[in-house]
């Protein structure tokens, strides 16, 4: 699950001048015509670089995203929830697997990506740096974070890079199970006992700011969107995705009699746009740069898992082989 | 107790032993989800943990049809005294060598048990045994391949797997601890008994272990071979009650609520 | 007792793992640590072709199969799986895409390149039999 909060590389447009102008023109024409780019195709160096960065961040978000919900895996109440939560967290691991493979087709090995994750060089979605304090947090995450992710991923699955689009198609199918499961879970809590209801309202209050951050900075302050859009790396603007999310989910939240902790949130009937309090982008930047409540723990856990699994991997590793990039 | 009552009690006892084993090992193995040694294996191991919980739920459902409370109540409201799982499944997951070895030893026994039960006179149990056959086939295949590859791979992995085997093997014998209903179960054709199960298990386990460059531990010592007993009578390790407290933390906020 | 130097997490699994607090992130994942890649092919039902569904990391075909089964077949129908080491697949470049183009001179390979109805109709029209002869033929 991932939103629009990708951190793009600084695009230096001069990069493209070193690429063959004719090839670039043909490349852009193919994209404009709706064709998919495959790993073996020629592509501008900057396209490759941005894609690797984007898919890698998405993959990291899935594997780190397994941790907040995983917090409750041993405590899920009842067989139905226990099995569903396990299957959901397992899917996130599966998504990481699919996305690392898609990024690998562009020439960066999984080992390099994991190294960049655990040293903090490469980012992942900011929402996962917040704690899942109660059982209800898992319900809110599964419903609303996954809903946000679907909006972003459905858009991106119509992008230009074949392997990423194929991975996203499969991921979106699985996310729709997550969304249903999350909604079901929230509905049970919201229509349950006063304790259950208070629990889910509390979780929603805590998760609302990270959810608003999830789609990334406002278009006004977000950079490099134009090239990304032309190359079909980014298919919708952050603000558009946020609007779409609010349009689809705020009414559903209100249907349950839950409140959203933003007094300015309302739909302007004249423009059809949602009005809301501008999310705190300084907080967003602070968390991205390691200052969130769980950044340290998330990375330490990931590192621990790699470290404790190392003997297993090392035992079966064949050193005389050469690494070959996966095909598609 | 009438014959009929005794027969029902015997079947229930078998179902509880099996269901509790499946629940606890499924719960334990689920702890690896998201933390496994490599993404691909993480996914596979989580699937098998889900299957175990599915087996537990199906077994509790049979108990429910025999007048016991529903599966959630059975799993999430009893305290350790009323659990009949063996000690082996209660231990923490430790390193992957321990978890894999337990998976191999437990799943081999589970596969044989379910295979025996396909011919059970208890029809719901026989039906379930047939239904889960395919799933369990994958579980034992997974276990055999991993045990044999790590046993043979490097000195380090061989030493680790041998140490895990030495530790797990005596504990695994607790799987076969007989209950007071053993004769009733055998006479009425419900189950061919723990003794036969253990015999077949020992043969299969020995074969896989020897093919994996590992050595079967010597457990002629009587103390060692009964070390892990008591679970079938409600006596447990120090690990079970904390496990149950953790597992039921949310559920017990309000057991009458719908979660 | 847990010491103060390990992470206390909201996740009891993490607390149990005794992860040292404030430790520098030192581990370095070496090349090939995550093994080679395999390509996975699925058959959804007997009689169908196997179809490529993705790739995965595995040290050998047996483990590749174990992983493929759960990563690519835990939902939906599948009756058979092939796994092939990526290195063993010979693949072509899109640069050579024009090699596959078929041109109109090769219509002799296509069913559509054979059109004889016109000739048949012409022949039938020229050799139309009288009604009586046709009836005679049917009787014999």
């Amino acid at each position: 699950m991932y939103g629009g909060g990708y951190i793009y590389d600084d695009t230096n447009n001069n990069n493209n001048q070193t690429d063959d102008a004719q090839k670039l023109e043909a490349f852009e024409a193919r994209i404009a015509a709706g064709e998919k780019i495959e790993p073996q195709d020629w592509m501008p160096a900057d396209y490759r670089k941005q894609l690797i960065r984007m898919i890698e961040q998405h993959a990291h978000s899935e594997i780190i995203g397994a941790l907040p919900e995983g917090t409750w895996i041993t405590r899920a109440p009842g067989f139905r929830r226990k099995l569903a939560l396990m299957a959901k967290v397992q899917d996130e691991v599966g998504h990481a697997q699919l996305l690392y493979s898609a990024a690998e087709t562009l020439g960066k090995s999984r080992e390099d990506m994991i190294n960049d994750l655990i040293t903090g060089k490469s980012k992942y979605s900011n929402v996962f740096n917040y704690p899942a304090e109660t059982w209800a947090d898992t319900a809110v995450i599964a419903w609303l974070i996954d809903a946000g992710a679907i909006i972003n991923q459905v858009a991106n699955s119509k992008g230009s890079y074949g392997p990423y689009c194929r991975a996203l198609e499969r991921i979106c199918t699985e996310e729709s199970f997550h969304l249903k499961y999350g909604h079901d879970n929230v509905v049970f809590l919201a229509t349950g006992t006063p304790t259950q209801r208070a629990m889910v309202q509390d979780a929603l209050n805590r998760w609302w700011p990270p959810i608003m951050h999830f789609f990334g900075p406002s278009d006004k302050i977000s950079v490099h969107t134009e090239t990304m859009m032309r190359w079909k790396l980014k298919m919708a603007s952050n603000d558009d995705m946020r609007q779409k999310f609010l349009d689809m989910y705020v009414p559903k939240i209100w249907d349950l009699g839950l409140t959203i902790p933003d007094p300015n949130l309302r739909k302007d009937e004249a423009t059809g746009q949602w009005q809301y309090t501008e999310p705190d982008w300084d907080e967003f930047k602070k968390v991205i740069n390691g200052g969130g409540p769980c950044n340290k723990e998330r990375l330490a856990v990931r590192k621990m898992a790699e470290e404790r699994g190392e003997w297993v991997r090392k035992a079966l590793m064949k050193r005389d082989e050469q690494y070959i990039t996966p095909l598609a | 107790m009438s014959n009929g009552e005794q027969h029902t009690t015997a079947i229930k006892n078998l179902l509880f032993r099996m269901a509790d084993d499946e629940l606890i090992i499924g719960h334990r193995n689920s702890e690896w989800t998201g933390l496994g040694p490599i993404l691909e294996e993480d996914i596979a191991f989580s699937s098998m943990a889900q299957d175990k919980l599915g087996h537990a739920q199906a077994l509790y459902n049979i108990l429910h049809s025999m007048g016991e409370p529903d599966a959630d109540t059975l799993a999430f409201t009893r305290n350790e005294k009323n659990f009949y799982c063996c000690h082996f499944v209660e231990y923490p997951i430790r390193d992957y060598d321990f978890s894999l070895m337990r998976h191999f030893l437990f799943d081999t026994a589970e596969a044989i048990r379910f295979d025996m039960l396909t011919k059970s006179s208890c029809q719901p149990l026989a039906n379930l045994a047939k239904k889960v056959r395919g799933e369990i086939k994958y579980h034992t295949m997974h276990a055999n391949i991993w045990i044999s590859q790590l046993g043979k791979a490097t000195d380090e992995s061989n030493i680790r797997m041998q140490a895990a085997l030495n530790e797990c093997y005596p504990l695994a014998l607790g799987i076969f601890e007989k209950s007071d209903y053993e004769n009733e179960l055998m006479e009425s054709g419900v189950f061919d008994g723990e003794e036969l199960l253990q015999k077949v298990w020992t043969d299969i386990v020995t074969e896989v272990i020897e093919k994996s460059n590992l050595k079967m531990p010597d457990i002629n010592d009587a103390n060692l071979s009964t070390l892990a007993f008591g679970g079938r009578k409600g006596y447990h390790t120090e690990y079970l009650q904390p496990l149950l407290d953790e597992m039921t933390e949310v559920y017990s906020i309000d057991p009458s609520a719908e979660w | 007792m847990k010491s103060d130097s390990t992470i206390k997490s909201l996740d009891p699994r993490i607390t149990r793992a005794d992860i040292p607090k404030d430790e520098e992130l030192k581990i370095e994942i070496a090349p090939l640590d995550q093994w080679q890649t395999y390509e996975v092919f699925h058959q959804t039902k007997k009689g169908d072709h196997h179809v490529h569904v993705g790739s995965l990391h595995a040290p050998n075909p047996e483990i590749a199969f174990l992983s493929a089964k759960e990563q690519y077949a835990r939902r939906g129908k599948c009756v058979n799986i092939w796994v092939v080491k990526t290195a063993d697949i010979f693949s072509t470049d899109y640069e050579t895409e024009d090699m596959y183009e078929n041109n109109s001179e090769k219509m002799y390979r296509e069913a559509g390149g054979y059109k004889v109805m016109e000739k048949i109709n012409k022949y039938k029209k020229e050799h139309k039999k009288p009604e009586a002869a046709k009836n005679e033929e049917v009787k014999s």
Side-chain angles (χ1 to χ4, degrees), chain A residues 16-17 19 50 79 86-87 89 117 137-138 150 172 262 306 315-316 320:
Chain A
N16 292 335
Q17 289 178 358
D19 289 326
Q50 299 287 4
F79 275 106
M86 282 166 71
V89 177
L117 169 66
D137 292 50
T138 67
I150 292 180
C172 286
D262 179 358
E306 296 298 336
L316 303 183
D320 50 344

Side-chain angles (χ1 to χ4, degrees), chain A residues 46-59:
Chain A
D46 198 38
Y47 176 86
R48 182 184 300 274
K49 201 164 128 190
Q50 299 287 4
L51 253 182
I52 291 178
R53 200 168 167 135
M54 205 168 124
I55 304 174
E56 183 182 359
Q57 282 177 34
H58 191 165

Side-chain angles (χ1 to χ4, degrees), chain A residues 156-167:
Chain A
N156 276 353
S157 72
K158 297 177 185 67
S160 61
Y161 188 57
Y164 190 37
C165 296
R166 289 191 287 272

Side-chain angles (χ1 to χ4, degrees), chain A residues 150-179:
Chain A
I150 292 180
I151 290 173
N152 177 60
Q153 289 166 174
V154 165
N156 276 353
S157 72
K158 297 177 185 67
S160 61
Y161 188 57
Y164 190 37
C165 296
R166 289 191 287 272
L168 286 177
E169 264 170 43
R170 154 114 187 251
I171 289 171
C172 286
T173 318
E174 291 177 357
E175 300 277 19
S176 53
F177 142 66
H178 301 174
L179 182 70

Side-chain angles (χ1 to χ4, degrees), chain A residues 104-281:
Chain A
E104 270 180 273
T105 61
L106 292 158
K108 184 166 181 179
S109 72
R110 195 199 271 184
E111 288 85 355
D112 285 344
M113 289 188 268
I114 297 175
N115 278 327
D116 286 351
L117 169 66
I118 59 184
T119 55
K121 198 175 149 201
S122 177
K123 303 296 180 199
Y124 54 87
S125 191
N126 233 13
V127 277
F128 305 121
N129 287 318
Y130 292 88
E133 288 180 20
T134 71
W135 165 249
D137 292 50
T138 67
V140 171
I141 296 172
W143 186 31
L144 297 177
I145 301 290
D146 283 62
I150 292 180
I151 290 173
N152 177 60
Q153 289 166 174
V154 165
N156 276 353
S157 72
K158 297 177 185 67
S160 61
Y161 188 57
Y164 190 37
C165 296
R166 289 191 287 272
L168 286 177
E169 264 170 43
R170 154 114 187 251
I171 289 171
C172 286
T173 318
E174 291 177 357
E175 300 277 19
S176 53
F177 142 66
H178 301 174
L179 182 70
K180 287 273 186 193
Y181 153 77
H183 189 222
D184 182 279
N185 203 345
V186 168
V187 169
F188 270 60
L189 295 172
T191 61
T193 66
T195 314
Q196 286 176 308
R197 206 177 152 75
M199 208 178 182
V200 75
Q201 180 64 63
D202 171 56
L204 181 60
N205 293 347
R206 279 181 289 106
W207 281 88
W208 190 255
I211 287 168
M212 292 298 279
H213 283 147
F214 185 67
F215 299 93
S218 163
D219 300 336
K220 283 168 285 184
I221 55 170
S222 177
V223 279
H224 325 304
T225 313
E226 199 268 325
T227 319
M228 298 295 119
M229 297 273 225
R230 191 172 68 244
W231 284 348
K232 292 190 185 166
L233 294 175
K234 189 172 174 61
M235 299 297 286
S237 83
N238 295 352
D239 285 337
D240 286 350
M241 286 191 289
R242 200 167 5 247
Q243 285 290 335
K244 196 169 180 193
F245 170 82
L246 294 171
D247 222 30
M248 287 173 80
Y249 292 96
V250 172
K252 290 192 169 82
I253 296 170
W254 283 343
D255 272 349
L256 294 168
L258 297 170
T259 58
I260 294 168
D262 179 358
N264 298 322
L265 185 72
R266 62 176 192 90
K267 189 170 182 173
D268 184 334
E269 289 305 335
T271 61
Q273 295 285 300
W274 285 85
Q275 314 277 317
Y276 49 83
T277 309
E278 191 62 30
D280 182 350
W281 296 113

Side-chain angles (χ1 to χ4, degrees), chain A residues 91 104 118 313 318 321-322, chain C residues 25 33 36 59 74-75:
Chain A
D91 282 350
E104 270 180 273
I118 59 184
R313 301 190 304 272
K318 294 194 188 83
E321 281 192 342
Q322 230 203 328
Chain C
L25 298 168
D33 169 277
Q36 271 300 355
R74 70 179 183 276
R75 288 193 179 88

Side-chain angles (χ1 to χ4, degrees), chain B residues 34-55:
Chain B
L35 305 172
I38 190 163
L39 298 172
E40 284 81 357
E41 171 64 0
D42 196 313
I43 296 162
F45 210 65
S46 179
S47 275
M48 293 186 290
Q50 289 168 40
D51 290 346
K52 300 295 178 213
L53 290 171
H55 301 164

